[in-house]
Amino acid sequence: MGCLVSTPKDTGGNRRRPANIGDVSVFVPGLRIPKPVDFSQSLGDHLAKSLVERLSALRTRIVVMAGQEAPTITRTRRKSATQHGGSTLGDLLQALEDYLPVLLGLVKDGSPLQHKVQFVWVNQEDEAEETAMYSAWYEVLSVLHLMATLSLSQANLLLLPRTSIDGYQPKVSEENRRSSVDVFLKAAGYLDCAVRHVLPQLPIELRRNLPVDLAEGVLRALCLQALGQGVDIQLGLAIDSTKATLAVKRRLACEMVKYWQQAQDNIMNLPLANGWGEKHRLFVKWKYIEAKAAAYYYHGLILDEGNTEKSHGMAVAALQAADEYLKESKKACEAFHASIPVSRNPPLWGTMKYLSEKIPKDTSSKVRINRDLYSHEKIMETAPTLPDFALALKPDEYQLPLVDASWNEEATKKGQLSSNKSRG
């Protein structure tokens, strides 16, 4: 049942580690790349030749594309992002979607065929260079993880600022921002499906031996990150809208804090100490601090609308907390981009461009006004508790596709064969 082989990282050669991954608006894990599999050797005596060949062709296409294109997808440049990256991602995603219904035939109705093939994937966040398992469910899990990773890469391309036609400051169009929310929800849907419907299919022993790239905590964290960044985009759109109230903006900012806090909780105790893994941890830390800066800022503005000394004192404390978190987030941002593989922070835009200008200015102004009105004792030294809101943004309800019709034909052929034998 699901024999496991993990190769230590010092066996060399398979794992590609780019030194620089370019501009990063969205954290994209290093691509886990599948290694070739000989389906005919494992399944030749159990399936029709045409079905074995189809499985082989579909997976080989993915192996070739992922191997060739991984460096292109991983390293993003604002100028070339839309020219090459987008179509590459789309083609590889389509290849994975074409493969999945055929692959699922191996696990249909608990088929013993699910343990016949050894699937091998190169890891990125785990200490082991690669992980091999005799488990078709491991292959399904790896495919969903790759689909989510590609979707996050699509979101990153959409959210890289580009110089506008009028030559002003680089920015991200509203169309791209709205499209990115859909992509984030799609990525979250793949990951949510992986956690709720695929992981439970793996025996406990195999689950324990999964690479950290596919650990439940990492999958949950990536799902929450996608939702957190989706809310970040919604907050940016609310900031640009004349109709959005302070209460709406505060709610979005507070929800964002919860998503990032939960993401951090999920990876806190995992061994993410290796290259991509450490970068992943630093990204979550940075975005969690950044979200707190936004939440305390809007909470402070709402508290300042109160008419009491206490509410004004709490407002100042909240704004001061926002200012401190903003400073801390800049350091966390630098630490993330400096970690290996090195990356670049694109020009500020959206939520953080607005808040990086407003927080210091409004904090300084409110502190000065309130200290003129009240004694220092009336101003709280600790920030007030943020309000707790239910999380509104949910992953897309992605469901595994139906098993490809070619498996039904396979069953029909087998039935005919056994019927002919019994007659004979």
Side-chain angles (χ1 to χ4, degrees), residues 181-200:
V181 175
D182 294 335
V183 176
F184 281 129
L185 296 183
K186 186 168 74 168
Y190 295 143
L191 293 158
D192 187 57
C193 176
V195 169
R196 294 197 296 121
H197 301 298
V198 179
L199 271 180

Side-chain angles (χ1 to χ4, degrees), residues 266-278:
N266 272 286
I267 61 170
M268 191 179 293
N269 298 317
L270 291 173
L272 288 169
N274 158 49
W276 283 107
E278 179 60 19

Side-chain angles (χ1 to χ4, degrees), residues 38-330:
D38 187 350
F39 283 106
S40 59
Q41 185 177 356
S42 312
L43 300 173
D45 294 337
H46 305 280
L47 292 175
K49 185 180 178 184
S50 59
L51 189 50
V52 173
E53 287 176 348
R54 188 155 179 234
L55 270 168
S56 297
L58 288 166
R59 194 176 191 277
T60 300
R61 181 178 164 212
I62 293 164
V63 170
V64 172
M65 287 178 71
Q68 288 178 346
E69 304 300 344
T72 312
I73 292 168
T74 305
R75 286 194 296 274
T76 49
R77 298 285 185 276
R78 268 172 283 145
K79 287 182 181 176
S80 62
T82 50
Q83 294 169 10
H84 307 295
S87 60
T88 298
L89 292 168
D91 291 345
L92 187 45
L93 255 173
Q94 187 60 55
L96 291 161
E97 287 173 6
D98 292 344
Y99 173 51
L100 203 47
V102 184
L103 168 65
L104 285 168
L106 291 175
V107 299
K108 185 181 179 184
D109 301 325
S111 168
L113 292 177
Q114 65 183 282
H115 307 299
K116 295 287 184 187
V117 184
Q118 186 184 50
F119 294 101
V120 189
W121 287 70
V122 175
N123 302 317
Q124 292 293 349
E125 296 192 335
D126 200 87
E127 284 296 305
E129 172 87 25
E130 61 188 43
T131 301
M133 289 187 178
Y134 280 95
S135 169
W137 280 116
Y138 166 62
E139 176 82 345
V140 173
L141 186 63
S142 297
V143 166
L144 286 179
H145 178 269
L146 183 51
M147 288 167 73
T149 301
L150 295 173
S151 298
L152 292 173
S153 195
Q154 282 182 327
N156 188 50
L157 292 177
L158 286 168
L159 297 178
L160 293 179
R162 292 180 180 83
T163 306
S164 52
I165 300 168
D166 53 21
Y168 287 115
Q169 190 77 14
K171 59 185 179 182
V172 178
S173 70
E174 182 175 332
E175 181 187 356
N176 275 15
R177 286 189 280 167
R178 291 189 184 280
S179 297
S180 75
V181 175
D182 294 335
V183 176
F184 281 129
L185 296 183
K186 186 168 74 168
Y190 295 143
L191 293 158
D192 187 57
C193 176
V195 169
R196 294 197 296 121
H197 301 298
V198 179
L199 271 180
Q201 301 292 340
L202 289 162
I204 295 296
E205 178 196 351
L206 282 194
R207 288 182 67 170
R208 275 200 296 262
N209 289 315
L210 284 171
V212 75
D213 307 55
L214 300 180
E216 183 174 345
V218 169
L219 298 177
R220 286 187 185 278
L222 285 170
C223 178
L224 289 157
Q225 285 167 234
L227 297 173
Q229 291 208 265
V231 176
D232 190 358
I233 299 303
Q234 290 180 332
L235 177 57
L237 293 168
I239 288 169
D240 290 348
S241 169
T242 55
K243 295 178 182 177
T245 62
L246 274 181
V248 167
K249 294 169 193 171
R250 179 178 67 172
R251 181 185 179 113
L252 289 168
C254 288
E255 285 183 37
M256 194 160 59
V257 170
K258 284 180 75 172
Y259 283 119
W260 288 107
Q261 182 178 11
Q262 289 178 22
Q264 184 161 280
D265 290 346
N266 272 286
I267 61 170
M268 191 179 293
N269 298 317
L270 291 173
L272 288 169
N274 158 49
W276 283 107
E278 179 60 19
K279 198 166 184 74
H280 188 176
R281 191 193 300 282
L282 289 169
F283 184 78
V284 173
K285 179 182 177 182
W286 164 33
K287 290 297 177 180
Y288 179 35
I289 296 168
E290 202 174 75
K292 286 196 278 190
Y296 277 109
Y297 173 68
Y298 285 112
H299 190 40
L301 292 186
I302 286 179
L303 288 169
D304 197 54
E305 291 179 337
N307 292 319
T308 65
E309 287 187 23
K310 183 180 178 183
S311 66
H312 289 165
M314 289 169 69
V316 169
L319 290 168
Q320 286 176 321
D323 198 39
E324 286 304 312
Y325 281 125
L326 181 66
K327 291 171 186 169
E328 197 182 333
S329 78
K330 289 175 182 174

